[in-house]
Amino acid sequence: AATSPPAVVSWARARPTRTPKTPNRAQPIPPLPKDAGAKTIADLDQLRYASGPLSTAEIRTEMQKGMQANAAVYRTNEVLQEGADMIDAVNDKFPDVGVTDRSLIWNTDLIETLELRNLLACASTTMHGANLRKESRGAHALEDHPDRDDENWMKHTMGYFSEETRRSTIEYRPVHYYTLDEEECKTVPPVARVY
């Protein structure tokens, strides 16, 4: 966990070594471009004036039910593949969302649509990352692969979602088996979780 003692020690140890590399606070902040924030406002207005036939609630409910059915703690390869296909299909519906409230004051319809857009990206990367991982690890049990597989899967899953294609890309990066100062804080080797 991020709040584990080794993580805190590592962060505290890294801070003094990183500080000299941070920007000089005495230097003036460069001026913002003339169009700073314009893309954000255009993005907000695009959703605020979305006039598709599907409500935010319809798409959110389909996503929610699909994730509950296909991304539970106990999973199979078949269920995960169904989930990956399902979340892609739900993501394809988001461009057809409609927002009925065009106001800027207490616009819960707009806020829920923005939340849904973010949730769909999270759901997609979660579902596709889980579908590709062929092992059981921690609290996630894949019934087709009941054991932990450190040789092939001791790596971090990196999920990226494209707003343009509405698809996730999954990549991996290695786990670091060292601390910043091995004399001060030794590496804790991984062990299987047992109950």
Side-chain angles (χ1 to χ4, degrees), residues 92-155:
D92 286 342
K93 293 178 180 182
F94 188 73
D96 292 328
V97 73
V99 175
T100 56
D101 186 351
R102 309 279 190 235
S103 73
L104 289 173
I105 300 170
W106 296 105
N107 189 338
T108 57
D109 192 11
L110 177 60
I111 297 300
E112 288 173 4
T113 305
L114 289 164
E115 289 173 349
L116 175 62
R117 183 183 64 185
N118 294 339
L119 284 169
L120 284 168
C122 292
S124 179
T125 55
T126 299
M127 196 71 251
H128 284 283
N131 185 40
L132 294 173
R133 187 172 281 269
K134 304 302 179 198
E135 68 159 357
S136 290
R137 181 172 296 271
H140 302 283
L142 185 54
E143 294 175 4
D144 304 310
H145 304 276
D147 298 319
R148 200 169 117 164
D149 180 1
D150 287 349
E151 184 177 329
N152 294 305
W153 289 103
M154 181 63 84
K155 52 189 170 184

Side-chain angles (χ1 to χ4, degrees), residues 151-168:
E151 184 177 329
N152 294 305
W153 289 103
M154 181 63 84
K155 52 189 170 184
H156 295 290
T157 303
M158 309 294 289
Y160 304 92
F161 184 79
S162 167
E163 288 289 338
E164 289 77 34
T165 64
R166 306 224 44 86
R167 292 294 182 268
S168 288

Side-chain angles (χ1 to χ4, degrees), residues 24-81:
N24 182 347
R25 303 254 186 237
Q27 292 178 346
I29 297 172
L32 286 172
K34 298 265 187 245
D35 63 346
K39 183 183 180 315
T40 302
I41 299 299
D43 186 44
L44 183 83
D45 275 348
Q46 180 183 8
L47 282 183
R48 186 163 64 119
Y49 292 105
S51 58
L54 299 174
S55 73
T56 299
E58 288 175 86
I59 299 171
R60 184 184 58 241
T61 299
E62 188 174 346
M63 176 199 68
Q64 181 179 356
K65 287 182 177 181
M67 292 300 287
Q68 288 172 337
N70 298 100
V73 172
Y74 297 100
R75 311 158 174 191
T76 65
N77 288 331
E78 180 182 359
V79 166
L80 288 172
Q81 184 59 57

